[in-house]
């Protein structure tokens, strides 16, 4: 399966600042990557589909101006949480898909103080 | 509202017991996956089922995809403490976009 990395693994930021999370596909060229959000002991909620070279597709209820996604190459997608607030604190996970399967990064724990 | 509902939401059993986790939806999926996730880590793929009625076995784990491709089950035989984790089903509606189930948190007590 594909190997996916995320950076950083943990980040703490102050309310009002912006945070960028990187998702890299290390051994697979991904035209599409996915971003999920997960609250403690809850399932993953799909936030958006990141498309290489074009605009991301956001799920209903996800603010595209708050969660900026850039997919500039076949191996890198970034998620920027703008003007972060404590309620944005969560576990953010990206994935790449290959056929019927998808492979996940290790996740990024964001804490907004 | 999530497309896939899992039951039970929480399950705590003794080592050696058997268990079944269900994943149900009113939608038809082109494929369905089961994942296991440990705290602070990303989900790890266990199995993918594609054909209605398909049954796959992975050691002590048995996965079944419903005939209508709307539901699935995961059965674990003789559970071990190492099976503890969050079990997630995920279905693909069209293309490669996946939606996750509500999750089942399993604790196996030694």
């Amino acid at each position: 399966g594909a190997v996916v990395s995320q950076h950083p693994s943990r980040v703490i930021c102050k309310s009002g600042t912006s945070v960028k999370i990187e998702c890299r596909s290390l051994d697979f060229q991904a035209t599409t990557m996915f971003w999920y959000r997960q609250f403690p002991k809850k399932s993953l909620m799909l936030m958006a589909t990141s498309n290489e070279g074009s605009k991301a597709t956001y799920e209903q209820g996800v603010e595209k101006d708050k969660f900026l996604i850039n997919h500039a190459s076949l191996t890198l997608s970034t998620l920027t949480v703008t003007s972060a607030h404590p309620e944005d604190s969560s576990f953010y996970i990206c994935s790449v898909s290959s056929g019927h399967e998808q492979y996940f990064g290790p996740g990024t724990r964001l804490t907004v103080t | 509202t999530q497309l896939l509902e899992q039951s039970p939401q929480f399950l705590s059993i003794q080592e050696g017991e058997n268990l079944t986790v269900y994943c149900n939806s009113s939608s038809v999926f082109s494929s369905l996956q089961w994942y296991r996730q440990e705290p602070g880590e990303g989900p790890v793929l266990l199995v993918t089922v594609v054909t209605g009625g398909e049954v796959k076995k992975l050691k002590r784990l048995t996965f079944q995809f419903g005939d209508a491709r709307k539901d699935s089950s995961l059965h674990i035989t003789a559970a071990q403490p190492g099976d503890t984790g969050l079990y997630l089903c995920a279905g693909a509606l069209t293309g490669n976009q996946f939606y996750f189930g509500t999750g089942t948190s399993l604790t196996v007590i030694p």
Side-chain angles (χ1 to χ4, degrees):
Chain A
V3 179
V4 182
S5 70
Q6 282 184 240
H7 178 80
S9 58
R10 289 177 176 270
V11 58
I12 301 173
C13 71
K14 292 186 176 181
S15 186
T17 62
S18 295
V19 174
K20 180 185 285 188
I21 302 170
E22 294 185 348
C23 176
R24 292 184 184 273
S25 177
L26 301 181
D27 59 352
F28 177 74
Q29 291 191 321
T31 55
T32 304
M33 293 185 180
F34 302 93
W35 286 97
Y36 294 85
R37 181 174 181 177
Q38 185 178 32
F39 291 104
K41 297 190 178 182
K42 297 292 185 181
S43 187
L44 281 71
M45 296 296 293
L46 179 64
M47 297 176 66
T49 302
S50 173
N51 304 299
E52 188 267 334
S54 65
K55 291 183 179 180
T57 304
Y58 290 81
E59 294 298 301
Q60 191 173 8
V62 178
E63 298 177 61
K64 62 180 181 181
D65 294 331
K66 181 167 184 62
F67 298 99
L68 300 179
I69 292 173
N70 183 277
H71 193 155
S73 76
L74 290 172
T75 59
L76 174 64
S77 175
T78 61
L79 168 67
T80 301
V81 183
T82 63
S83 186
H85 290 284
E87 56 264 32
D88 298 325
S89 298
S90 192
F91 193 52
Y92 292 87
I93 310 176
C94 69
S95 73
V96 303
S97 68
S98 176
H100 292 296
E101 300 177 346
Q102 60 175 334
Y103 301 93
F104 288 86
T108 296
R109 171 74 60 193
L110 170 63
T111 303
V112 184
T113 60
Chain B
T1 304
Q2 291 193 246
L3 285 176
L4 287 159
E5 293 287 333
Q6 286 182 237
S7 62
Q9 186 177 359
F10 298 97
L11 188 57
S12 182
I13 62 171
Q14 293 291 132
E15 182 176 359
E17 292 184 353
N18 302 331
L19 66 113
T20 301
V21 178
Y22 298 93
C23 174
N24 295 300
S25 177
S26 57
S27 300
V28 177
F29 296 96
S30 59
S31 67
L32 192 139
Q33 294 76 38
W34 283 93
Y35 296 83
R36 180 170 163 267
Q37 184 183 25
E38 301 214 20
E41 299 180 8
V44 175
L45 179 67
L46 296 175
V47 78
T48 299
V49 286
V50 179
T51 306
E54 182 176 4
V55 176
K56 281 191 174 180
K57 290 192 174 184
L58 182 66
K59 297 183 180 178
R60 294 177 293 102
L61 278 61
T62 301
F63 305 86
Q64 185 164 6
F65 200 13
D67 292 340
R69 293 185 294 146
K70 293 183 179 181
D71 53 80
S72 181
S73 64
L74 157 61
H75 182 79
I76 301 179
T77 303
Q80 299 176 1
D83 296 328
T84 294
L86 180 66
Y87 287 82
L88 298 160
C89 63
L93 284 176
T94 58
N96 55 5
Q97 197 169 44
F98 296 84
Y99 294 89
F100 276 82
T102 46
T104 296
S105 180
L106 171 64
T107 302
V108 182
I109 303 167

